[in-house]
Amino acid sequence: MRRFSSFSKIIITFLVLFHSTIMGSNELIQLSCKKASQGDPNLSYKFCVSSLEANAKGHSLDLQELVVISLNLTIANATNINSTISNLLKDKAFDNFAKERLRGCSELYADAIPTLQEALCAFQSKDFAKANIEVSSAMDASSTCEDGFKEKKGEVSPLRKENDVFFQLNAISLAFINTLASI
Ligand SMILES: *[C@@H]1O[C@H](CO)[C@@H](O)[C@H](O)[C@H]1NC(C)=O
Ligand SMILES: *[C@@H]1O[C@H](CO)[C@@H](O)[C@H](O)[C@H]1NC(C)=O
Ligand SMILES: *[C@@H]1O[C@H](CO)[C@@H](O)[C@H](O)[C@H]1NC(C)=O
Ligand SMILES: *[C@@H]1O[C@H](CO)[C@@H](O)[C@H](O)[C@H]1NC(C)=O
């Protein structure tokens, strides 16, 4: 888990405890996303803010609720990606190599759904360590899927965007869970 300076711990603790009286949910999202993207070069600040703001819908939220939203969003995304893959598998343009990889990715994403549901349960019972492990494990679906296509020279992954989005959504959940665990 990442470590934070004591100063940022104080700031985050303050935000978690008192945000509802001092700031709206968009400010909490912006601050939390700023911190998360600074800690992870692969996480885009813009992506983080736009994904969460679109789903927070202006409610007054705390960091715990943001994690639930983020995990929910990631579960929905894995479900979408699983159907995207089913459609790609019907496409005759893919050769056997690509189809085999697509089937592997479908299994990875189908498995990621219950893993993320377990992460949500663990998180809700405040078992942050278990939630961290489950989210990290779900997150591996994207890199394992992407790496499969790299086994053949010149092969272009048809799931590059999906894998990237899924990776980033999990990176958001992980960063926020680790922040809560460090308080
Ligand atoms: C960021 O992405 C690069 C390239 O895909 C990868 O090598 C690296 O491990 C990633 N870093 C993190 C913190 O996930
Ligand atoms: C999470 O998703 C479930 C079902 O998709 C929904 O009922 C619930 O309201 C969502 N919770 C949040 C915090 O987004
Ligand atoms: C979720 O996944 C779908 C399918 O890959 C993608 O088009 C969409 O942008 C993703 N959205 C979010 C917010 O995760
Ligand atoms: C994933 O897609 C497969 C094939 O279309 C489908 O049979 C399966 O039910 C889906 N799994 C989930 C968890 O949505």
Side-chain angles (χ1 to χ4, degrees):
M1 290 198 190
R2 294 207 306 111
R3 316 194 106 250
F4 297 107
S5 68
S6 16
F7 180 68
S8 59
K9 271 189 200 172
I10 291 165
I11 296 287
I12 289 283
T13 306
F14 185 75
L15 292 177
V16 167
L17 296 178
F18 302 111
H19 76 94
S20 49
T21 50
I22 58 159
M23 68 193 328
S25 65
N26 284 358
E27 283 113 315
L28 177 69
I29 289 172
Q30 285 157 16
L31 254 156
S32 310
C33 284
K34 190 160 173 229
K35 191 159 180 48
S37 59
Q38 280 168 348
D40 183 347
N42 295 328
L43 177 58
S44 145
Y45 169 77
K46 267 181 130 168
F47 176 86
C48 180
V49 169
S50 64
S51 303
L52 294 174
E53 282 187 354
N55 287 275
K57 300 195 176 81
H59 294 305
S60 177
L61 295 165
D62 60 23
L63 195 54
Q64 263 100 336
E65 288 165 319
L66 278 185
V67 172
V68 174
I69 288 178
S70 170
L71 287 172
N72 237 11
L73 205 55
T74 314
I75 293 169
N77 208 250
T79 312
N80 279 340
I81 295 172
N82 191 41
S83 356
T84 302
I85 298 173
S86 310
N87 290 332
L88 290 176
L89 277 167
K90 290 180 201 137
D91 189 334
K92 291 192 172 61
F94 293 109
D95 63 9
N96 284 339
F97 172 86
K99 289 217 159 140
E100 214 177 282
R101 296 305 174 283
L102 284 169
R103 277 191 288 270
C105 293
S106 172
E107 261 179 50
L108 289 164
Y109 277 102
D111 286 349
I113 297 166
T115 305
L116 288 167
Q117 277 157 349
E118 280 173 37
L120 187 55
C121 287
F123 179 76
Q124 280 167 334
S125 54
K126 302 237 185 302
D127 189 345
F128 298 143
K130 177 158 193 245
N132 176 306
I133 290 168
E134 302 285 8
V135 175
S136 304
S137 149
M139 189 176 191
D140 283 346
S142 50
S143 40
T144 308
C145 169
E146 195 61 25
D147 286 349
F149 293 97
K150 290 185 188 143
E151 284 165 22
K152 190 165 143 191
K153 221 179 155 206
E155 189 79 16
V156 175
S157 165
L159 295 170
R160 182 196 281 266
K161 178 168 174 283
E162 285 78 5
N163 286 330
D164 183 51
V165 166
F166 187 74
F167 179 91
Q168 298 217 33
L169 288 173
N170 282 298
I172 294 169
S173 304
L174 272 184
F176 291 5
I177 290 169
N178 290 346
T179 296
L180 286 165
S182 73
I183 293 172

